[in-house]
Amino acid sequence: MDSALPTTQPKTGDAKSSRRETLTITDNRTGKTYEVPITHDTIHANDLRKIKVDDGDFGMMSYDPAYSNTASCISRVTYIDGDRGILRYRGYPIEELAEKSTYLETAYLLLRGELPTAAQLKEWQYHVLHHTYIHESIKKFLDGFHYDAHPMGMLISTIAGLSTFYPDAKHIFDAESRKKQTYRLIGKMPTIAAFAYRHTLGMPYVYPDNQLNYTGNFLNMLFRTSETSYQPNPTLERALDVLFILHADHEQNCSTNTIRGVGSSHVDPFSASAAATAALYGPLHGGANEEALRMLMEIGSVQKVPEFIKRVKAGEVRLMGFGHRIYKNYDPRARIIKKIAYEVFELMGKNPLLEIALECERIALEDEYFVKRKLYPNVDFYTGLIYQSMGFPMTMFPVLFAIPRMSGWIAQWEEMLLDAEQKIARPRQVYLGYDTRSYVPLEQRA
Ligand code: ACO
């Protein structure tokens, strides 16, 4: 984008014929007028720096805690229209991908920009599935965790630990190296997750079975006991695969912003994705599925829902799994997830917490508090119920979110690296602390 040039030119002519893609700003402190270019309905924040009271002035900044109205990048990966409840990966609607694609094919789409041909898909699947093994030393490393360590903590540290096993990952501007780390990261996520799960149970680790597909192999590593060959249930395998598709990317959310920010220091992708996984762990982000289920258990019965909603409205607690920074409409993923929930319940039996969840949703969608704030169920509201019915403990829920999100993180990380406009991420601050003060010796302090 061009820089804004201060102009004192009078603005003339009729609005339609002389429509200019610019914004005119008048600084009432000085009376000066500035014309700032508009590109894609956006002005460049640096153009504001021209707005100064005098030459010694630093220039104007915009203040945007939590980046709620700041575009930090130009992206071509994922599109969301939060008001209309639209989510698309590389232009393809999430509903179509959930119905027709597989997780690995969707991951390829996110990373490479196009759906693969049959040959490309075969090659891609081969490479990912042949990078599922982890170094034997990582097993020892996992053994060091306490039996009740949260699997997200184990996942974060193990992903970070991978950077020590693959020092070649430092060559981030080598396309071949990036490809290899991508196979490793996407391939090893289910293995680390499953090993962390087995560790908490004190059960022996199950090695990857490359004859199974990505999701089937994950179920094998999680749940296989004494079978000589494990055959995953096709309904559960497909349900998990669709959940993986739905969680694969979500544009500039907290963890994606983290991988872009940390990656902008040019650290290796294992370290950057460990940071993104840590961001996802938080209860306001990927940890919300675990919190949503805990909340449903705490509510305990349908009769107690109105009382709980009262507490939410009084600001005492949040209705976990509700609300979203971007969606001010039903989260399109939640709609698909609700459908999957019924398919899983048909096989595994209805989750008794479902009635409580449906009652929370029913009341919230009618209640003025939620309607006014446009709070709808998000992706995390129903996933916990499905995961619980599939036999996962609550602590594994955010891990199940992290596995597929790796493809989105890497796609966004690579886009950031190859974007000539990007630099090390380094926001400004508005400093309101003390001006200079002199050091007070200890004995003179009150
Ligand atoms: N329950 C009750 N009230 C809520 C909720 C909720 N879940 N979410 C937002 N609100 C209220 C806020 O109190 C606020 O009300 P106010 O205007 O009277 O102060 C208003 O709605 C706006 O909320 P903000 O917190 O400003 O919205 P923001 O965009 O910052 O937060 C967030 C989005 C973090 C997702 C929030 O809705 C939330 O905490 N939800 C619960 C946690 C959750 O489900 N997170 C998962 C999100 S999806 C994901 O990350 C994968």
Side-chain angles (χ1 to χ4, degrees), residues 28-41:
N28 293 323
R29 298 170 303 176
T30 57
K32 276 193 200 158
T33 296
Y34 303 82
E35 192 168 341
V36 177
I38 299 174
T39 315
H40 310 299
D41 284 336

Side-chain angles (χ1 to χ4, degrees), residues 66 247 250 253-254 280 282-289 292 312-313 315 317-326 328 331 333 369-370 373 375 378-381 401 405:
H247 286 88
H250 211 234
N253 55 83
C254 178
L280 189 77
L284 296 188
H285 190 13
N289 49 19
V312 172
K313 288 162 65 177
V317 282
R318 284 210 159 188
L319 187 57
M320 299 310 283
F322 255 72
H324 200 276
R325 172 64 57 79
I326 305 292
K328 300 302 167 199
D331 181 336
R333 300 167 300 173
Y369 174 94
F370 296 89
R373 291 169 179 78
L375 300 171
N378 61 47
V379 68
D380 290 316
F381 194 60
F401 192 152
R405 183 53 63 87

Side-chain angles (χ1 to χ4, degrees), residues 240-306:
L240 198 55
D241 207 57
V242 175
L243 289 167
F244 280 3
I245 294 172
L246 301 181
H247 286 88
D249 195 48
H250 211 234
E251 56 118 301
Q252 306 313 313
N253 55 83
C254 178
S255 55
T256 301
N257 182 52
T258 301
I259 197 164
R260 281 180 172 265
V262 174
S264 76
S265 73
H266 292 178
V267 73
D268 68 86
F270 295 102
S271 304
S273 36
T277 313
L280 189 77
Y281 189 9
L284 296 188
H285 190 13
N289 49 19
E290 185 180 339
E291 294 303 319
L293 200 86
R294 286 189 197 284
M295 174 194 79
L296 294 175
M297 287 165 69
E298 186 196 323
I299 297 172
S301 72
V302 171
Q303 293 70 32
K304 290 191 179 151
V305 171

Side-chain angles (χ1 to χ4, degrees), residues 139-156:
K139 265 177 36 189
K140 292 187 207 147
F141 176 89
L142 282 168
D143 283 341
F145 284 102
H146 210 264
Y147 74 95
D148 61 354
H150 197 291
M152 265 312 253
M154 290 193 250
L155 183 69
I156 294 163

Side-chain angles (χ1 to χ4, degrees), residues 11 15 22 29 32 65 86 88 114 117 121 134 152 159 170 186 195 221 230 234-235 268 274-275 287 312 385 420 424:
K11 315 286 176 295
T22 60
R29 298 170 303 176
K32 276 193 200 158
I86 291 174
R88 297 183 201 131
E114 296 296 336
T117 61
L121 183 61
I134 54 176
M152 265 312 253
I159 297 171
K170 288 191 191 326
I186 296 180
F195 280 25
M221 292 187 289
Y230 179 86
T235 305
D268 68 86
V312 172
L385 293 175
I424 187 165

